[in-house]
């Protein structure tokens, strides 16, 4: 397995261009299955999860063309299979996002249950119950969700928990259903707004994206469109933490500043001098050590759970004590055990990480357990004295495009050690 070797201790500085958002690209790619004609997408990030989703689209019969490495074209006219096999779903649970489109457009979908993952049980009961409310016959047997519906019908859905992909699957089911659907307690993430922008361009009739109540009028059919994927707010935030944790000065370009508010507030509290434009953010620490910050994760627009691990790393070297409470997933502190190997004074009490910042972490071999944990360990390695090797780095390749190239551009001493 590939490893990343990092020689830490120096402040990072410079500019970095933010890539398209993984968590917008994945639902938008599966939404292309709803159209009658080709969908052309730009600013698609080169990530393993995108590669897996493209494999899945090819598996069901979509034509995939990369035009000069910039534009990805999905031609849905040849769909002939309506399933997401375990071999693909086990590597990426977001494969469940084909459920809504296949059922809505073709009346059938057999999707392997994603199963749990490192950060939690990750059930899909809300996805399934919502489809049943829309008239689908959904059974679960030998590890597969088997859904059938001649014609989905609009329904009023009140989601028990705010779920991002649950909201996305149910929107994609409702756009071709007969009649009106209303989704209450919907997730409000910017990635959902981007998905709805795509669906609306295709001809869907949707109101309320980005609010907790989304209203959808079913239509007969949807057409192919062109779209550029919105910038990744988690990648944006991760690079800003790289500046904060090393006492450096970094400008992120081609981001969407309005999606970063909760994180920018916390980086400001940590002592970062922040200046912003509508598509760039500069964070300057002027060589200062960050202040520790308390955090409670929450659905958007609250503090994103996908930035929790990165702030655990920041607090490890910050001055003062702080508490980080994870309210979304039940097991998302595995990075804390690895941070302790680097000398962090961090203890886990239930769903809270309590840290007392140390002046210097010391490099050591550590192991990534999930995508954002691996980002946390890379950040800690950048701040640590000496050499840190991060093992199982395939996790980070799922969600960060060319991470070592981008960090090297900022002055990091980082290289990939092939297995
Ligand atoms: C999405 O996952 C993101 N993934 C995650 O990003 C992100 O951490 C998460 O939303 C929360 O923001 C994608 O968009 C591809 P949820 P998702 O359904 O949709 C419970 C990353 O690092 N729940 O919003 O799977 C669930 O257990 C990844 O990029 C049910 O109980 O998360 C959790 O406690 C990690 N039943 C809560 O809802 C359901 O049917 C929120 O999960 C669905 C969810």
């Amino acid at each position: 397995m590939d490893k990343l070797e990092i020689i830490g201790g120096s402040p990072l500085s410079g500019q970095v261009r933010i890539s398209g958002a993984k968590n917008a690209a994945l639902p938008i790619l599966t939404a292309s299955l709803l159209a009658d004609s080709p969908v052309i997408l730009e600013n698609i990030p080169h990530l393993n999860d995108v590669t897996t989703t493209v494999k899945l689209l090819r598996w069901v019969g979509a034509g995939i063309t990369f035009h000069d490495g910039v534009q990805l074209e999905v031609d849905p006219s040849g769909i002939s299979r309506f399933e997401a096999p375990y071999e693909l779903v086990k590597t990426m649970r977001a494969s469940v996002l084909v459920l809504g489109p296949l059922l809505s457009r073709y009346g059938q979908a057999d999707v392997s249950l994603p199963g749990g993952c490192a950060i939690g049980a990750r059930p899909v009961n809300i996805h399934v119950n919502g489809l049943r409310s829309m008239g689908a016959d959904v059974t679960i047997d030998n590890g597969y969700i088997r859904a059938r519906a001649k014609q989905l019908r609009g329904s009023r859905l009140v989601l028990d928990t705010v779920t991002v992909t649950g909201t996305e699957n149910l929107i994609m089911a409702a756009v071709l259903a007969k009649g009106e659907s209303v989704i209450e307690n919907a997730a409000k993430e910017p990635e959902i707004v981007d998905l709805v922008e795509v669906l609306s361009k295709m001809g869907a009739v949707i109101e309320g994206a980005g609010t907790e109540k989304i209203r959808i009028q079913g239509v007969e059919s949807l057409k192919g469109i062109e779209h550029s994927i919105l910038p990744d707010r988690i990648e944006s935030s991760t690079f800003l933490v790289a500046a904060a944790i090393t006492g450096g000065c970094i400008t992120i370009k081609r981001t969407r500043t309005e999606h970063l508010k909760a994180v920018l507030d916390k980086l400001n509290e940590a002592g970062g001098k922040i200046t912003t434009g509508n598509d760039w953010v500069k964070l300057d620490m002027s060589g200062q050590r960050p202040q520790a910050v308390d955090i409670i994760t929450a659905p958007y627009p609250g503090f994103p759970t996908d930035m929790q691990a990165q702030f655990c790393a920041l607090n490890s070297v910050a001055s003062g004590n702080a508490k980080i409470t994870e309210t979304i997933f039940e097991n998302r502190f595995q990075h804390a055990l690895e941070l302790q190997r680097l000398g962090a004074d961090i203890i886990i009490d239930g769903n809270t990480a309590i840290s007392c910042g140390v002046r210097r972490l010391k490099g050591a071999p550590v192991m990534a357990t999930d995508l954002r944990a691996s980002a946390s360990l890379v950040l800690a390695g950048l701040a640590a004295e000496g050499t840190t090797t991060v093992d199982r780095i395939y996790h980070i390749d799922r969600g960060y495009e060319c991470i070592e190239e981008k960090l090297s551009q900022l002055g990091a001493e980082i290289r990939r050690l092939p297995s």
Side-chain angles (χ1 to χ4, degrees), residues 12-16 248-252 281-283 409-411:
L12 298 192
S13 62
Q15 300 190 354
V16 64
C249 178
I250 288 178
T251 301
I252 59 171
V281 177
K282 178 179 176 182
L283 186 144
Q409 270 173 22
L410 297 169

Side-chain angles (χ1 to χ4, degrees), residues 101-171:
L102 288 177
L103 184 61
S104 183
R105 176 94 170 63
Y106 299 98
Q108 57 181 319
D110 292 328
V111 177
S112 167
L113 272 172
C117 79
I119 63 176
R122 313 292 293 275
V124 289
N125 58 309
I126 298 172
H127 302 236
V128 169
N129 294 339
L131 295 175
R132 284 178 173 147
S133 307
M134 298 169 81
D137 172 35
V138 186
T139 53
I140 296 187
D141 62 338
N142 55 40
Y144 274 76
I145 304 165
R146 300 193 188 287
R148 299 292 182 274
K150 278 206 178 23
Q151 167 70 62
L152 289 174
R153 57 174 188 274
S155 173
R156 179 167 174 272
L157 310 169
V158 182
L159 308 189
D160 296 344
T161 313
V162 174
T163 158
V164 175
T165 51
T167 301
E168 291 165 344
N169 244 336
L170 295 171
I171 290 171

Side-chain angles (χ1 to χ4, degrees), residues 307-327:
M307 282 305 300
Q308 177 260 101
Q310 297 90 320
F311 271 75
C312 280
L314 183 62
N315 277 348
S316 299
V317 296
S319 56
N321 305 338
K323 288 196 299 189
I324 295 185
T325 302
E326 172 59 60
T327 68

Side-chain angles (χ1 to χ4, degrees), residues 346-389:
I346 180 169
I347 55 164
I348 304 299
D349 178 11
N351 66 343
T352 299
I354 300 150
S355 62
C356 174
V358 296
R359 287 215 57 89
R360 269 275 181 231
L361 295 173
K362 295 246 180 322
V366 289
M367 188 175 76
T369 50
D370 59 84
L371 168 55
R372 305 305 174 182
S374 49
S376 164
L377 297 174
V378 169
L379 292 170
L382 292 169
E385 225 158 48
T387 303
T388 298
T389 47

Side-chain angles (χ1 to χ4, degrees), residues 280-321:
W280 61 268
V281 177
K282 178 179 176 182
L283 186 144
D284 187 357
M285 290 299 284
S286 314
Q288 298 305 307
R289 185 183 179 196
Q291 297 294 319
V293 289
D294 290 332
I295 282 170
I296 301 176
T297 65
Y300 191 89
F303 188 92
T305 173
D306 292 349
M307 282 305 300
Q308 177 260 101
Q310 297 90 320
F311 271 75
C312 280
L314 183 62
N315 277 348
S316 299
V317 296
S319 56
N321 305 338

Side-chain angles (χ1 to χ4, degrees), residues 133-297:
S133 307
M134 298 169 81
D137 172 35
V138 186
T139 53
I140 296 187
D141 62 338
N142 55 40
Y144 274 76
I145 304 165
R146 300 193 188 287
R148 299 292 182 274
K150 278 206 178 23
Q151 167 70 62
L152 289 174
R153 57 174 188 274
S155 173
R156 179 167 174 272
L157 310 169
V158 182
L159 308 189
D160 296 344
T161 313
V162 174
T163 158
V164 175
T165 51
T167 301
E168 291 165 344
N169 244 336
L170 295 171
I171 290 171
M172 292 192 280
V175 290
L176 292 177
K178 199 155 188 56
E180 177 180 81
S181 297
V182 178
I183 302 175
E184 311 244 15
N185 198 28
K188 301 185 271 192
E189 272 68 4
E191 293 76 30
I192 291 182
V193 177
D194 207 35
L195 169 64
V196 169
E197 192 181 322
V198 166
L199 293 170
S200 304
K201 283 200 267 190
M202 286 177 169
V205 179
I206 306 172
E207 298 169 357
T211 74
E212 69 278 356
K213 184 171 184 175
I214 300 176
R215 197 180 292 274
I216 301 130
Q217 301 296 340
V219 295
E220 289 294 314
S221 65
L222 297 169
K223 64 185 188 322
I225 47 91
E226 296 198 14
H227 183 74
S228 179
I229 303 292
L230 105 158
D232 195 317
R233 61 193 168 95
I234 304 301
E235 185 197 22
S236 299
S237 304
T238 302
F239 277 105
L240 292 174
V241 173
I245 202 169
T246 59
C249 178
I250 288 178
T251 301
I252 59 171
K253 314 270 290 179
R254 297 193 49 175
T255 187
R256 290 277 283 280
T257 310
E258 72 269 27
H259 296 156
L260 309 178
K261 187 175 178 330
V263 172
L264 294 182
D265 288 352
K266 287 297 172 184
L267 288 170
N268 188 43
E269 199 182 313
K273 183 170 166 298
I274 295 171
T275 44
T276 62
N278 66 346
D279 69 346
W280 61 268
V281 177
K282 178 179 176 182
L283 186 144
D284 187 357
M285 290 299 284
S286 314
Q288 298 305 307
R289 185 183 179 196
Q291 297 294 319
V293 289
D294 290 332
I295 282 170
I296 301 176
T297 65

